Amino acid sequence: MAYFFNETSHTFNEYLLVPGYSSSNCIPSNVSLKTALVKYRKGEAPAITMNIPLTSAIMQSVSGDKLAVALAREGGISFIYGSQSVEDEAAMVARAKSYKAGFVVSDSNLSPEDTLADVIRIKEKNGHSTIAITSDATANGRLLGIVTSRDYRVSRMETSLKVTEFMTPLEKLVTADEDTTLKQANDIIWEHKLNSLPIVDKFGNLKYFVFRKDYDAHKENPNELLDEHKRYVVGAGINTRDYEERVPALIEAGADVLCIDSSEGFSEWQSRTISWIRDRYGDTVKVGAGNVVDGEGFRFLADCGADFVKVGIGGGSICITRETKGIGRGQATALIDVCHARDEYFKETGVYVPVCSDGGIVYDHHMTLALAMGADFLMLGRYFARFDESPTNRVAIGGNYYKEYWGEGSNRARNWQRYDMGGDKKLSFEEGVDSYVPYAGSLKDNVQMSLSKIKSTMCNCGALCLEDFRKKAKLTLVSATSIVEGGAHDVIQKETSLTNIK
């Protein structure tokens, strides 16, 4: 006979936090949201720690290189989607990793014989206003000059004009040799009031640029998540089919952490994938796994060697797995169960395997509830799809702006690898929908607002860090009537009444 869980499966919306005592020290500015991304042994520090508990979903409509940079600036990590060719995903990772390296390899290069039309073209393509002019139009050719937006005016110059006629030549540039440290380079930039400083080798070949804006960006984003080389930390999604080809390419491109992207992770396929990675890279390559919805699934993946485990099946806003296949579990109940298993595993083995809550987040306060229930960090799709930095188009519908958003199991994405069960290489039926989400503006503004709400609630519960929050949080189930009571009710809201006046 089938096994029946006695407890009803609950969602985040069915819970509230009961405030606890908060001292005068419990103010949002004192709250730390730092959290472990990957497993670690008791008494040791994790190899990767995030400054905020947010990651972006492994989805075509969410996680490209632009969003990876924006989220890393805020202290989180984006997992660039894997439902594309190995080469394209590796290129996305490489672009995100090179965006801020302190010393940046130039990806906008021309020769003196190119024209203003080429300058305009390359600026439109890469979005960069500083273009290196080298002898062979490559990133490491002999430096002859640079072109910036101050060197030309499209309205006053013919597009056929050669670059050599308007570039700033080498003899007028301030440069530095390849032994220059980042601190020295920044000092030179400030001393000479430069926007960029070319770094050249002893033969005059261009090696890197150091940009003033990178120094400014660091001061404006104190939480930005950087690796040991001052590059943004970037994640990438993999699958259980082509990992032997995809993993080496992503590691070569600079990916800091990988995650197996699957709708259901309690499988031999994930065990094989993790084993292959461990056999070839040991513990140097960090890889998360999932998704699971109970303690048994968590323990399986933890024993396989997963660096973190994702929780959630069918709870995403565009996911219809529960509807089409009848599998899944309410996200709150699944998360509580898995986090309990994580804590028991830690007691038994001394190894702490972080838990990622993936799906079920509708409102900002659901993030706080997920963290209170034990999640070390969250993976969000719809939330990030709304922002300028997501890869999708912004469209106007009925006078309002929206962003396109589709599931990996939709007919549009056709990410069959995510739902692979060893059969034909195709998506037999849809497990996701194609949709729109209301456009919300920049990632930075929205993330900071969401985090301010999390910090405020943590203070209400007397907690200044996530570890204390999990210990001190008091959660209560609420009735359907209580949910109604919690919103605006029994009033006529002004914006509603005014729109009805003709």
Side-chain angles (χ1 to χ4, degrees):
M1 183 177 177
Y3 176 82
F4 289 86
F5 287 88
N6 292 323
E7 181 187 5
T8 303
S9 184
H10 296 288
T11 66
F12 293 131
N13 219 37
E14 297 174 78
Y15 284 91
L16 285 175
L17 279 157
V18 176
Y21 171 75
S22 57
S23 69
S24 59
N25 193 44
C26 286
I27 58 175
S29 60
N30 288 338
V31 173
S32 170
L33 294 177
K34 287 182 179 292
T35 189
L37 175 71
V38 296
K39 68 181 178 184
Y40 59 92
R41 291 192 172 275
K42 187 175 182 179
E44 298 179 354
I48 304 175
T49 297
M50 294 191 292
N51 293 326
I52 63 172
L54 303 182
T55 65
S56 67
I58 310 170
M59 301 176 68
Q60 295 175 10
S61 55
V62 178
S63 296
D65 51 293
K66 187 176 180 181
L67 192 129
V69 169
L71 184 51
R73 278 178 173 168
E74 300 307 310
I77 293 177
S78 183
F79 285 89
I80 289 175
Y81 68 93
S83 53
Q84 56 181 321
S85 71
V86 173
E87 294 76 16
D88 287 346
E89 185 182 9
M92 276 193 176
V93 170
R95 285 198 297 270
K97 291 298 294 183
S98 65
Y99 187 88
K100 177 179 173 57
F103 294 97
V104 180
V105 176
S106 177
D107 66 353
S108 298
N109 311 288
L110 293 173
S111 77
E113 296 303 307
D114 289 314
T115 66
L116 177 58
D118 296 310
V119 170
I120 297 169
R121 172 186 54 78
I122 204 168
K123 183 178 180 182
E124 289 177 348
K125 177 184 177 182
N126 296 334
H128 299 159
S129 59
T130 299
I131 299 173
I133 308 303
T134 62
S135 56
D136 57 1
T138 66
N140 299 120
R142 185 164 55 86
L143 182 65
L144 301 177
I146 65 171
V147 170
T148 71
S149 56
R150 293 179 298 181
D151 291 316
Y152 62 89
R153 290 291 180 270
V154 176
S155 60
R156 298 183 180 183
M157 299 163 62
E158 295 293 331
T159 56
S160 59
L161 190 66
K162 289 188 176 182
V163 167
T164 188
E165 298 294 324
F166 60 88
M167 71 179 187
T168 300
L170 178 62
E171 57 267 24
K172 292 185 178 181
L173 294 178
V174 177
T175 64
D177 63 58
E178 58 185 326
D179 295 325
T180 303
T181 66
L182 185 58
K183 183 181 184 305
Q184 291 170 333
N186 282 319
D187 288 343
I188 294 171
I189 286 173
W190 285 99
E191 179 183 351
H192 293 274
K193 300 179 180 180
L194 306 173
N195 287 322
S196 64
L197 175 68
I199 307 296
V200 298
D201 64 18
K202 62 182 180 180
F203 302 108
N205 297 317
L206 178 64
K207 300 293 291 184
Y208 310 102
F209 275 108
V210 176
F211 292 97
R212 173 192 289 264
K213 66 180 177 62
D214 285 346
Y215 179 86
D216 294 339
H218 176 67
K219 295 302 179 183
E220 293 171 3
N221 300 286
N223 277 334
E224 63 184 357
L225 197 58
L226 305 174
D227 66 17
E228 59 183 358
H229 302 294
K230 305 297 183 184
R231 301 175 301 180
Y232 286 126
V233 176
V234 178
I238 62 174
N239 61 69
T240 58
R241 276 288 184 116
D242 65 5
Y243 53 86
E244 294 185 14
E245 178 186 2
R246 191 172 295 268
V247 170
L250 294 176
I251 297 304
E252 178 68 23
D256 298 277
V257 58
L258 307 175
C259 184
I260 302 172
D261 183 28
S262 175
S263 65
E264 202 282 301
F266 195 175
S267 73
E268 182 181 343
W269 308 111
Q270 297 224 356
S271 175
R272 289 183 183 181
T273 304
I274 297 171
S275 294
W276 185 88
I277 292 172
R278 293 288 172 255
D279 288 345
R280 284 153 184 78
Y281 298 98
D283 289 329
T284 60
V285 170
K286 306 304 179 183
V287 56
N291 287 18
V292 298
V293 290
D294 65 3
E296 187 180 2
F298 168 85
R299 184 170 285 270
F300 170 78
L301 291 176
D303 287 339
C304 286
D307 283 292
F308 64 85
V309 174
K310 287 203 298 164
V311 179
I313 293 177
S317 59
I318 41 66
C319 185
I320 55 173
T321 294
R322 297 180 192 175
E323 181 180 334
T324 58
K325 297 178 68 173
I327 64 169
R329 199 176 189 187
Q331 186 67 9
T333 300
L335 181 60
I336 293 168
D337 189 0
V338 170
C339 288
H340 175 72
R342 173 204 59 200
D343 294 342
E344 290 298 312
Y345 191 83
F346 183 49
K347 290 178 184 177
E348 294 174 20
T349 66
V351 177
Y352 188 91
V353 182
V355 167
C356 170
S357 181
D358 178 17
I361 302 293
V362 180
Y363 306 109
D364 282 355
H365 78 272
H366 290 171
M367 298 184 194
T368 315
L369 287 168
L371 295 169
M373 290 172 183
D376 294 279
F377 58 95
L378 316 175
M379 180 170 279
L380 306 170
R382 181 196 62 85
Y383 178 82
F384 287 115
R386 304 172 302 147
F387 303 148
D388 288 319
E389 295 84 356
S390 73
T392 63
N393 296 318
R394 187 179 68 173
V395 296
I397 303 174
N400 296 311
Y401 281 111
Y402 297 86
K403 292 275 284 186
E404 295 177 303
Y405 180 47
W406 60 91
E408 289 296 290
S410 68
N411 192 52
R412 181 171 184 173
R414 302 200 67 79
N415 181 7
W416 63 270
Q417 293 95 332
R418 189 177 197 276
Y419 304 89
D420 180 36
M421 298 183 72
D424 294 335
K425 297 180 179 181
K426 64 179 182 178
L427 193 69
S428 300
F429 52 87
E430 291 184 85
E431 293 188 45
V433 299
D434 198 341
S435 62
Y436 299 100
V437 288
Y439 168 67
S442 73
L443 179 146
K444 183 180 184 67
D445 291 342
N446 284 276
V447 165
Q448 290 187 353
M449 176 62 73
S450 298
L451 296 179
S452 69
K453 295 176 184 178
I454 293 173
K455 290 181 178 181
S456 179
T457 304
M458 288 174 62
C459 288
N460 292 142
C461 297
L464 293 177
C465 67
L466 292 176
E467 184 178 2
D468 280 349
F469 188 39
R470 291 192 287 267
K471 294 176 181 177
K472 295 181 177 181
K474 296 182 290 186
L475 291 146
T476 180
L477 277 166
V478 296
S479 67
T481 305
S482 294
I483 295 173
V484 174
E485 180 186 58
H489 60 90
D490 300 319
V491 294
I492 300 173
Q493 296 186 59
K494 288 184 178 180
E495 60 268 24
T496 303
S497 60
L498 289 174
T499 56
N500 290 331
I501 297 175
K502 302 297 183 183

